[in-house]
Amino acid sequence: MKLQIHGDTHVPGDKSITHRALMFAALAHGESRLSGLLPGEDCRSTASVLRALGCSIPEIPQDGSEIRVTGHGAGEWRRPEVELDCGNSGTTARLMMGLLASRPFAATLTGDESLRGRPMRRVTAPLHQMGAHFNEAGEPDRLPIEIVGGPLRSLDYASPTASAQVKSAILLAGLTAGVPVSVTEPNLSRDHTERMLAGLGVHLQASQVEGGWRVAVPAHQRPLPALDLRVPGDPSSAAFLAALALMAGEGELVIRGVCVNPTRTGFFTIAQRMGAQIERSNERTEGGEPVADLVVRPSTLRGTPVGGGAVPAAVDEIPILAVLAARAEGETRIAGAGELRVKETDRIAAIADNLRALGADAEELEDGLVVRGSDRPLAGRVKTYGDHRIAMAFGVLGAFPENEVEIDDPACAAVSFPGFFERLQELTG
Ligand code: S3P
């Protein structure tokens, strides 16, 4: 029996924008109004780290309703009495390092086992060049790390990887220290920090240059104004539901209010190249971000090559792209995706091992994957390694009646998409 999909749905608020909205509200002077915030565990980690610094941040509502945050500027942040626990969230740890680099006190950042296994020198090294000091309390290059902030100097940084976390940490350090900074990256990573700063009146300059993309923030001395922001739906979360509809037998799924910032829509572009029927309607701009409703229909998919240049805009969507590839005709070769080895888990290994455990044809490359599609039933047990996107990608495969997929830890989906498995159930009956 083929899966039928009929639905008109939405996804929770964008995770990257939610982190930044909370941080900017805590940096601002005045009362910010924020709605549509993601109540996922990662964003709750950002809220609790900001609270430990003395900021008054209400609980993030489960239903996206508005909260008001009164900020008094980073000058009022105080030395935390506890370690700053970033949970599973790399964005919390790395962006907070940027924000703390110029604060006149010491603070220790830590996280869960997965986050304590991820590299941090990509951020601490440039911040050290600016004048901040770091004491690695555990393994080299890993949390827990004590950051000892102080006055900073300006920096023109050429980042070896396209990483919005690295870029944002440096831009936020420059902003809070009142010194000019620039970051050049080989490909454009997500640009939410830049868009939000521009919306708050910071005159940054962004351009394509030889060797990549450069963004420069001038010495900014004025207080940041409060924000009035509605966070759009997360395209990374929408990708899972879109994949479900694409692989279904018949029907149509509308996903409303999704952020379609071009630095985030790589999955949809690649899927369309594979033959996916995805249309946008009701395109608009909200809070400086392009937003649209997506209309997705079941499609016959063909494998496609995915090169390194396409990876930054789809960096979080490779797990679900690989699942789609396992159901496409022919081969999908994903290269230049070495960054996936240092995500919440080594996603290249996790995707390949799990696809094979279910009986699909997948091969691990040093910096990517080769997946050969089939329509045979898939069955087996998936190990998530606590990674929300691995849980959700394989959860989508498991929603098809011909497959029998057991996920060892479905609860970890709550990091970015609380209620994901319930939503799958609703959409598939
Ligand atoms: C993020 C940047 C990306 C992404 C992560 C969120 C952000 O990480 O994978 O989920 O909000 O800045 P990198 O900067 O390491 O690519």
Side-chain angles (χ1 to χ4, degrees):
M1 201 186 65
K2 291 270 188 201
L3 183 79
Q4 294 193 7
I5 186 127
H6 294 282
D8 191 327
T9 193
H10 61 279
V11 286
D14 186 78
K15 180 155 80 70
S16 293
I17 299 176
T18 299
H19 286 299
R20 289 159 173 80
L22 294 169
M23 291 175 190
F24 283 125
L27 284 180
H29 290 252
E31 185 184 74
S32 291
R33 297 155 64 124
L34 309 174
S35 61
L37 295 168
L38 170 66
E41 284 163 15
D42 269 11
C43 299
R44 288 167 47 205
S45 294
T46 289
S48 82
V49 164
L50 291 169
R51 283 183 205 117
L53 293 163
C55 310
S56 157
I57 314 268
E59 273 300 303
I60 303 177
Q62 290 299 320
D63 61 358
S65 58
E66 182 180 286
I67 60 167
R68 294 177 185 218
V69 178
T70 303
H72 304 281
E76 294 297 306
W77 293 10
R78 55 165 194 261
R79 183 188 180 124
E81 283 158 16
V82 292
E83 287 195 339
L84 302 174
D85 186 355
C86 305
N88 193 243
S89 175
T91 306
T92 308
R94 296 185 178 131
L95 269 57
M96 285 311 304
M97 283 182 179
L99 289 174
L100 290 169
S102 64
R103 296 305 87 209
F105 52 74
T108 298
L109 290 156
T110 189
D112 70 7
E113 196 185 332
S114 151
L115 187 57
R116 281 187 275 114
R118 299 179 64 188
M120 293 293 149
R121 285 191 185 163
R122 52 180 56 203
V123 171
T124 59
L127 294 178
H128 181 64
Q129 285 181 45
M130 292 178 75
H133 294 280
F134 297 90
N135 299 314
E136 293 169 343
E139 300 288 310
D141 196 16
R142 299 287 183 267
L143 296 178
I145 294 177
E146 182 194 43
I147 169 164
V148 185
L152 301 182
R153 4 177 217 280
S154 85
L155 178 70
D156 291 305
Y157 188 64
S159 176
T161 38
S163 161
Q165 293 176 354
V166 171
K167 173 173 65 177
S168 301
I170 296 166
L171 298 184
L172 294 176
L175 179 82
T176 39
V179 297
V181 283
S182 78
V183 180
T184 304
E185 50 180 351
N187 280 298
L188 184 60
S189 65
R190 64 193 64 192
D191 62 357
H192 307 299
T193 301
E194 295 93 303
R195 285 173 184 259
M196 290 175 87
L197 283 176
L200 294 171
V202 177
H203 296 289
L204 42 78
Q205 288 183 326
S207 56
Q208 195 167 6
V209 295
E210 213 185 297
W213 296 78
R214 180 173 187 272
V215 56
V217 173
H220 188 85
Q221 310 289 359
R222 272 176 296 133
L224 276 190
L227 298 78
D228 187 354
L229 183 73
R230 171 154 196 91
V231 179
D234 195 323
S236 300
S237 298
F240 296 109
L241 302 185
L244 175 79
L246 291 172
M247 296 189 290
E250 58 182 82
E252 179 182 283
L253 182 66
V254 182
I255 313 171
R256 302 222 179 253
V258 179
C259 175
V260 288
N261 175 325
T263 63
R264 297 291 303 283
T265 49
F267 167 81
F268 300 103
T269 311
I270 297 164
Q272 281 169 325
R273 221 166 58 214
M274 296 171 79
Q277 300 180 67
I278 306 174
E279 280 166 30
R280 289 182 190 181
S281 70
N282 198 10
E283 292 190 57
R284 64 255 191 207
T285 301
E286 285 175 13
E289 294 279 351
V291 176
D293 300 339
L294 303 180
V295 183
V296 190
R297 296 192 186 90
S299 306
T300 304
L301 302 169
R302 301 171 300 276
T304 190
V306 178
V311 170
V315 67
D316 292 336
E317 286 68 69
I318 303 296
I320 188 62
L321 188 65
V323 160
L324 217 52
R327 284 315 199 202
E329 271 168 37
E331 180 179 289
T332 296
R333 179 175 289 262
I334 302 169
E339 272 295 295
L340 266 75
R341 295 223 180 256
V342 291
K343 291 293 177 189
E344 284 81 333
T345 186
D346 175 346
R347 283 188 177 156
I348 292 179
I351 296 166
D353 289 350
N354 282 315
L355 281 175
R356 282 197 299 262
L358 300 181
D361 183 348
E363 205 181 301
E364 201 176 311
L365 306 174
E366 187 65 34
D367 68 342
L369 293 150
V370 182
V371 181
R372 291 174 204 92
S374 80
D375 54 11
R376 62 175 170 267
L378 300 171
R381 184 174 161 83
V382 165
K383 285 193 200 157
T384 62
Y385 307 96
D387 184 328
H388 54 131
R389 300 200 204 281
I390 298 293
M392 292 189 279
F394 286 91
V396 169
L397 263 187
F400 287 81
E402 66 272 24
N403 301 331
E404 256 183 65
V405 179
E406 191 195 335
I407 313 262
D408 68 357
D409 177 20
C412 67
V415 160
S416 64
F417 194 153
F420 173 76
F421 283 93
E422 292 77 4
R423 186 73 61 85
L424 266 192
Q425 187 71 42
E426 268 166 44
L427 291 172
T428 58

